[in-house]
Amino acid sequence: MASSSFAKIALAAKVGVWDLYCTLANQVLPLRKVGSVTPEGHPGAGGKWPEFIQPKEGDSRCSCPALNAMANHGILPRDGKNITFEEMNHKIRATYNFGPSFCFFVPNYAASMLNKTYGKDTFDLAELDLHNGIEHDASLLREDIYFEPDQSKPHVQFIKELLASATGKDENGKPILTIEDLSRYSSKRRADARAKNPEFTLEKIHKSFGSSNASTLLTIFGGRVEDLETILLEERLPEGWESRIREAYGLTIITFNLKAVNPVEKGIDEEKYLAEKKKAEEAAAAAPAEGEASSIAK
């Protein structure tokens, strides 16, 4: 037990130092050119993604649209099975331009969660949906596992509501999600799930995972609703798409948390959402009565 704890501390220290180096290097190295974010020789270079094929019966998928999209395009095994953790590491980095420290840490965390060895074992995508491992209640894109055991299924209503809530605009006037949008919709999901799900749980670490998942929409995908409709609903990478992260060493853990995850989590306020919901319901209930009074007066 002591040896295992020491190994985890040592790994965290290694990743922390590595991530700091990458973060600092990103400040001085030139950005990758638009159109050349995905490395040459990797699927998606120049925006040319491999053929998209929908999963067939028996294929393994999970609650992460980004991983499912990689399998749907054949970047990961199309059946979503027998994936090595090292393969996950390198292919996520090339596809989405997450930092190398980030891409090393997450598969290691997943391997530990599944009681597997990072350098030796394999996994199926569906295994990542171990409840209250990384997968958690109050997801923005999935119904809680209490209501939907198959977490590979996108919950269309949630996705459409989320995208419709976008208040930002890009340089061309197209809608984009903002930090405030993600905080507001996360507040709604947490409050609604807490009220609806009799087995609802959401520990601090799972709140962090939730805000991290939300923040990926803002960073890697730039919050662009047009792209996210395809990625979240079809789990397909649009032709010509590339990561919005152009830094040489990709999106690091430090930058991700400082610029997106922490602000999203800080802005989540379930009580504010419930108060606004109650006010809206009271206003809606009063509207017919006011209309009837006006009719009588005439």
Side-chain angles (χ1 to χ4, degrees), residues 34 168-176 222 224 244:
V34 174
K169 300 288 183 182
D170 68 9
E171 60 276 9
N172 298 314
K174 294 183 178 180
I176 59 173
R224 287 164 169 76
R244 300 292 176 174

Side-chain angles (χ1 to χ4, degrees), residues 187 267-278:
S187 301
I268 295 174
D269 189 335
E270 293 182 50
E271 291 186 4
K272 180 180 178 181
Y273 160 73
L274 289 171
E276 291 175 348
K277 180 181 179 182
K278 181 180 180 180

